[in-house]
Amino acid sequence: MKKSAISALLCLTLLGALPAAAWAQELAVGGQIVGIQLRTEGVLVAGVGPVETAEGSRSPAAEAGIREGDFVTAINGTPVGSAADLIGALGALGGEEAQLSLLRKEKELTVRVRPVLSAEQQWMLGMWLRDGVTGIGTVTFCDPATGAFGALGHSVSDEENGRTLPMRGGQITEAEIVNVVPGAAGAPGELSGCTDVGRVLGRVEKNTDHGIYGHLTAPLGGRLVQTGELAPGPATILSTVSGREAREYQAVVSRLYRDGEGRHAVITVTDAELCARTGGIVQGMSGSPILQNGKLVGAVTHVSVST
């Protein structure tokens, strides 16, 4: 029987990302797949490159010292909320020099840069921009007393540099799984889903190393359970790998350990149905709650890929 090892973050660490007063003694366990949409704080510079002009190639952004991974937070003192804001402001300057406020690894910087007129007659700096992130993930729990929820089990990060994205808001929406690419040696596999952006379930307020957090605006359901301590031995994983139905699958906690980020565990999937369908844990299952003895003890955070 094929098995897959995963790394799981302990529930105590997961809940510790928000004030203890926010949580009830019992939580509604998750497992539901949801669409995730985040808006970044400022505009992410996804890349820097040349602009073709009548006088040849120029890269004003590179010449000014702007780097991939920087966030543009303001232009000439006016906050930038989207890529469209920045593009519109540059166009309005008509080629005049601009002052950009940047955020680079928690450090605030200011640079002066003058756009160039491209061959398409647009004022450009030579930057590829991104102002939001979309995807799917799994809800771990909800506090029925407050509507607060936790999901995903890890941060939403930039794909290129792994940096946790600073966010200014977001939402979770209804979603369903339409296809599964099973995991294999050297490849983690993934769930493919479609989201219904018209059916918003809640707002995202925090993007942390331990997951995303916010408050529901629509009920998700889920049975009430107590929280507990993860221990070696049998466990179950509650996840959605087809349609919208969350199901419980058998697993074993095979190892506990600590590192600089807290307490973790290695879980081995033993459920024959889950292994046949997905090969074990795949991308998209992050946030799936882990239960032992009927208690919520952790969440799936990462896939361990064997070769």
Side-chain angles (χ1 to χ4, degrees):
M1 179 171 59
K2 188 174 182 180
K3 299 179 181 179
S4 176
I6 64 169
S7 173
L9 194 63
L10 287 192
C11 187
L12 291 180
T13 303
L14 185 68
L15 300 183
L18 289 180
W23 310 118
Q25 292 186 350
E26 289 187 316
L27 298 173
V29 71
Q32 306 93 335
I33 197 76
V34 292
I36 299 171
Q37 299 176 319
L38 298 186
R39 300 184 300 278
T40 58
E41 185 68 50
V43 178
L44 174 67
V45 179
V48 176
V51 178
E52 296 301 325
T53 75
E55 289 77 33
S57 295
R58 288 275 309 281
S59 181
E63 294 164 11
I66 298 172
R67 303 176 188 172
E68 178 182 340
D70 288 347
F71 282 86
V72 182
T73 58
I75 178 170
N76 291 337
T78 300
V80 170
S82 67
D85 289 346
L86 180 56
I87 293 169
L90 285 172
L93 289 175
E96 294 181 6
E97 186 179 69
Q99 177 177 290
L100 298 185
S101 300
L102 306 178
L103 183 63
R104 178 182 297 166
K105 295 182 179 179
E106 314 307 326
K107 183 178 181 180
E108 295 181 355
L109 304 171
T110 300
V111 300
R112 301 197 72 85
V113 59
R114 186 182 298 276
V116 294
L117 194 62
S118 72
E120 291 79 23
Q121 301 301 298
Q122 291 181 304
W123 293 106
M124 303 180 70
L125 297 180
M127 302 189 302
W128 288 277
L129 305 174
R130 192 169 71 201
D131 56 13
V133 178
T134 61
I136 60 172
T138 303
V139 174
T140 307
F141 64 87
C142 169
D143 183 339
T146 65
F149 73 88
L152 201 57
H154 58 74
S155 68
V156 178
S157 305
D158 179 63
E159 294 179 358
E160 298 296 327
N161 55 35
R163 177 187 173 195
T164 297
L165 293 176
M167 56 160 283
R168 59 185 175 90
Q171 62 186 24
I172 59 171
T173 68
E174 285 197 359
E176 64 178 305
I177 301 302
V178 296
N179 186 45
V180 177
V181 178
E190 65 177 343
L191 301 177
S192 296
C194 61
T195 62
D196 186 348
V197 296
R199 299 184 66 85
V200 176
L201 301 175
R203 60 184 183 273
V204 180
E205 297 158 359
K206 291 190 177 184
N207 179 27
T208 79
D209 291 343
H210 305 317
I212 59 172
Y213 298 87
H215 285 81
L216 297 177
T217 55
L220 276 180
R223 69 181 186 272
L224 292 178
V225 299
Q226 295 182 337
T227 60
E229 289 273 358
L230 195 64
T236 58
I237 297 170
L238 188 60
S239 194
T240 303
V241 297
S242 177
R244 303 186 182 190
E245 180 186 3
R247 294 186 57 186
E248 217 163 335
Y249 300 98
Q250 300 299 312
V252 173
V253 179
S254 53
R255 182 166 69 94
L256 302 178
Y257 65 97
R258 286 182 178 272
D259 62 16
E261 299 179 351
R263 301 174 64 198
H264 303 266
V266 175
I267 313 294
T268 302
V269 174
T270 58
D271 194 284
E273 180 181 351
L274 183 60
C275 288
R277 182 182 291 272
T278 66
I281 298 298
V282 296
Q283 296 180 73
M285 292 172 67
S286 297
S288 296
I290 300 169
L291 298 99
Q292 284 185 308
N293 300 316
K295 295 183 178 182
L296 175 62
V297 296
V300 173
T301 62
H302 297 88
V303 183
S304 177
V305 181
S306 59
T307 57

